[in-house]
């Protein structure tokens, strides 16, 4: 049976964001070409929903759909003034949330993180929302650790995306988590989007434009991605960008939201994860191909950042079906 996904549409919903779950998840197919997810949209009382674009959307189901869903998605909506002022959830919405089972996965897109926080679903956890509202979110919900620099946060059962388009990244991540890299990459290809996106939300935060803004670090980032197996250094990356190390680090952090060396480590971890999921290469070969040098270093970073060894990660995330033997190319 396909994984059942219920998308809850509320008044003020953003039309594009309402369709993201179905657009991505409907492209996740098993080897026979059957859909792995069944996506249905509902509203409170099954009533037509007023969007923020001057139109209404008619749905076929009411909130009773939440009772049997395996994953519930709260589509982006404009939070009303009462919620932003008090952090309180409307009674009818609170009753709808109470229908969600304790094991049901919950996903919020953009400002809908305010609703999950108001329901107490994010207490003591990390979360993200649109960068422009992170300060207000922190004031309203001090028990939630807000990260304004990422595209999404995965807490296991509850996931939050920073913005509407970041929901694409989140749902591709969910497909990868549920069914492995091969299925997720194929779904992304059919949606004509990247299997993963470089950088975090910080790259979209408004900053004063530097006088020499044409000198971006993007070319050097791509240069480094093409050479992850090599012993890359901050000095070498700065030299490639024709900048001093200080200037390069400052511009890199402004564009990507993290330091060059931290980004380099995460890029190597991402490539190693993809190779563990989609190839039969030994851990030693993967460590060398990703620039870790040896299995000891690879194991150390996996334990530190992912909480498990490379072999344990492979067992948990290996894609179904025949393994690929070529490395997963980062783009």
């Amino acid at each position: 049976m396909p994984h059942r996904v219920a998308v809850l549409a509320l008044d003020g919903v953003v039309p594009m964001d309402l369709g993201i779950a179905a657009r991505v998840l409907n492209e996740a197919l098993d080897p026979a070409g059957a859909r792995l997810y069944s996506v249905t949209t509902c509203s409170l009382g099954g009533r037509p929903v007023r969007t923020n674009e001057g139109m209404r959307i008619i749905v076929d189901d009411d909130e009773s759909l939440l009772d049997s869903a395996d994953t519930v998605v709260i589509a982006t909506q404009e939070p009303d003034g009462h919620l932003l002022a008090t952090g309180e959830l409307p009674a009818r919405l609170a009753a709808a949330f109470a229908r969600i089972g304790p094991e049901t996965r919950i996903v919020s897109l953009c400002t809908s993180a305010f609703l999950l926080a108001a329901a107490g679903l994010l207490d003591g956890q990390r979360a993200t929302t649109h960068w422009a509202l992170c300060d207000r979110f922190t004031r309203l919900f001090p028990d939630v650790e807000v990260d304004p620099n990422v595209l999404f946060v995965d807490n296991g059962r509850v996931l939050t995306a920073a913005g509407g388009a970041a929901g694409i990244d989140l749902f591709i991540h969910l497909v990868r988590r549920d069914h492995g890299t091969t299925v997720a990459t194929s779904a992304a290809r059919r949606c004509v989007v990247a299997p993963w996106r470089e950088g975090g939300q910080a790259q979209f935060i408004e900053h004063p434009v530097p006088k020499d803004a044409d000198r971006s670090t993007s070319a050097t980032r791509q240069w480094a991605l093409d050479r992850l197996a090599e012993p890359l250094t901050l000095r070498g990356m700065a030299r490639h960008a024709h900048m001093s190390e200080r200037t390069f680090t400052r511009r890199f952090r402004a564009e990507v939201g993290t330091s060059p060396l931290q980004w380099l480590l995460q890029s190597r971890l991402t490539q190693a994860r993809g190779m563990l999921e989609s190839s039969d290469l030994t851990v030693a070969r993967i460590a060398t191909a990703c620039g870790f040098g040896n299995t000891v270093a690879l194991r150390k970073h996996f334990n530190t950042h992912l909480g498990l060894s490379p072999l344990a990660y492979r067992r948990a995330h290996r894609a179904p079906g025949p393994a690929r033997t070529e490395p997963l190319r980062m783009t």
Side-chain angles (χ1 to χ4, degrees):
M1 177 181 294
H3 184 101
R4 296 163 298 185
V5 179
V7 181
L8 179 60
L10 302 169
D11 281 339
V13 69
V14 178
M16 185 189 86
D17 298 10
L18 181 60
I20 286 175
R23 182 67 186 91
V24 175
L25 297 180
N26 283 342
E27 297 298 344
L29 309 177
D30 68 14
R35 287 179 174 175
L36 293 165
Y37 300 87
S38 172
V39 184
T40 310
T41 303
C42 64
S43 69
L44 299 181
R47 298 192 303 269
V49 178
R50 173 184 53 80
T51 75
N52 73 333
E53 298 291 347
M55 61 177 127
R56 292 181 182 271
I57 294 175
I58 298 175
V59 302
D60 294 331
D61 294 276
D62 62 18
E63 63 268 36
S64 64
L65 194 68
L66 306 181
D67 297 353
S68 58
D70 300 307
T71 293
V72 170
V73 178
I74 316 299
T76 307
Q77 42 68 56
E78 294 182 337
D80 61 35
H82 179 75
L83 174 64
L84 291 177
T86 67
E88 296 177 356
L89 201 63
R92 179 130 193 213
L93 186 54
F97 279 8
R99 307 182 74 129
I100 301 174
E103 303 299 322
T104 302
R105 189 163 58 192
I106 305 173
V107 175
S108 74
L109 301 183
C110 197
T111 53
S112 291
F114 280 79
L115 301 178
L116 299 193
L121 293 168
L122 293 173
D123 287 352
Q125 300 190 65
R126 286 179 64 239
T128 192
T129 188
H130 194 284
W131 60 265
L133 292 174
C134 282
D135 288 343
R136 179 172 291 188
F137 189 101
T138 299
R139 291 194 297 271
L140 280 175
F141 309 109
D143 292 334
V144 183
E145 179 188 350
V146 183
D147 190 340
N149 296 320
V150 295
L151 296 175
F152 61 84
V153 172
D154 181 350
N155 287 311
R157 182 194 174 213
V158 182
L159 301 93
T160 52
I168 298 174
D169 301 277
L170 186 151
F171 287 119
I172 291 173
H173 164 74
L174 277 184
V175 175
R176 185 181 298 113
R177 188 176 114 176
D178 291 345
H179 300 286
T181 296
T182 301
V183 175
T185 300
S186 296
R189 186 178 299 115
R190 282 188 284 270
C191 291
V192 199
V193 296
W196 54 76
R197 200 154 34 129
E198 178 187 326
Q201 190 180 184
Q203 63 188 303
F204 303 106
I205 297 176
E206 293 177 351
H207 294 288
V209 178
K211 294 180 181 179
D212 50 350
D214 57 317
R215 294 186 63 190
S216 168
T217 64
S218 60
T220 297
R221 295 199 300 273
Q222 187 57 56
W223 173 82
L225 288 175
D226 293 337
R227 294 164 174 80
L228 289 180
E230 300 177 12
L232 299 171
T233 64
L234 175 60
R235 175 179 294 181
M237 295 171 71
R239 184 184 299 116
H240 180 271
H242 303 290
M243 301 178 191
S244 68
E245 292 180 30
R246 182 176 180 179
T247 298
F248 178 75
T249 299
R250 174 173 52 81
R251 292 186 180 172
F252 195 103
R253 188 179 291 276
E255 293 175 18
V256 181
T258 188
S259 71
L261 294 182
Q262 185 61 36
W263 170 87
L264 184 61
L265 172 60
Q266 291 300 325
S267 298
R268 284 173 164 153
L269 283 171
T270 296
Q271 178 163 288
R273 290 166 63 182
M275 295 173 74
L276 286 166
E277 294 171 10
S278 60
S279 79
D280 284 325
L281 294 175
T282 65
V283 172
R285 288 189 62 188
I286 290 173
T288 301
C290 297
F292 290 102
N294 55 63
T295 57
V296 173
L298 179 62
R299 188 180 304 112
K300 174 184 175 182
H301 287 298
F302 260 68
N303 284 325
T304 298
H305 295 275
L306 303 176
L308 71 174
S309 69
L311 287 178
Y313 182 89
R314 171 172 270 171
R315 287 192 297 268
H317 297 274
R318 186 61 174 267
R324 291 170 46 180
T325 56
E326 73 277 11
L328 187 65
R329 181 174 177 78
M330 299 183 65
T331 58

